Amino acid sequence: MNEEIVQRVFDIEREAQAIRDEAEREAARIVEKAEEERDRILKEAEEEAQEEAQRLLDEAEEGVEQEREHVLDQMHEELQQVKEGAQSHQEEAVQYVLNRVAGRR
């Protein structure tokens, strides 16, 4: 009977060790899966961040281009006004010089 009890204890210890070994393998699989999921999430987050950064950069460049066009349009309008003003002043200046040369005031 003692031999049976000892054998039973050894069998239980073997079963316990097998359960422990399987639990360690499962824990390692869980850790590996978690690390893979972490890496996937980090990669996805990095890609999303890069896409968002590019989108913001594109928007900023578009805004700068629109502002540049607006400033150029304003400058062209102002230049046209200056040219028109200069043209009218030139005509007045020519008339003034002609009047002076002709002796008229």
Side-chain angles (χ1 to χ4, degrees):
M1 180 132 128
N2 283 340
E3 250 181 69
E4 289 177 19
I5 294 174
V6 171
Q7 187 60 43
R8 182 70 182 133
V9 169
F10 284 138
D11 290 343
I12 291 172
E13 285 178 352
R14 252 191 315 271
E15 288 176 23
Q17 185 62 44
I19 292 170
R20 188 177 308 119
D21 291 346
E22 180 58 30
E24 287 175 359
R25 285 191 297 274
E26 182 63 22
R29 282 193 295 268
I30 290 170
V31 168
E32 182 178 353
K33 185 176 180 182
E35 288 172 347
E36 289 172 358
E37 183 67 10
R38 177 204 63 205
D39 292 345
R40 184 192 63 77
I41 290 170
L42 287 174
K43 182 179 178 186
E44 185 177 297
E46 182 179 352
E47 289 172 356
E48 288 176 7
Q50 287 176 348
E51 288 172 5
E52 179 67 9
Q54 186 61 50
R55 185 187 65 76
L56 292 172
L57 181 60
D58 292 345
E59 284 180 8
E61 287 175 351
E62 182 178 326
V64 167
E65 181 62 25
Q66 289 176 352
E67 182 64 22
R68 185 183 77 80
E69 290 295 325
H70 178 71
V71 168
L72 285 175
D73 289 345
Q74 284 182 327
M75 289 177 64
H76 287 308
E77 288 177 20
E78 290 176 16
L79 180 59
Q80 187 61 35
Q81 290 173 358
V82 168
K83 284 180 179 180
E84 290 171 3
Q87 182 67 30
S88 69
H89 291 305
Q90 181 181 6
E91 291 171 9
E92 290 174 12
V94 168
Q95 190 61 44
Y96 175 79
V97 169
L98 290 175
N99 287 338
R100 294 291 288 182
V101 169
R104 287 182 262 162
R105 289 203 177 231

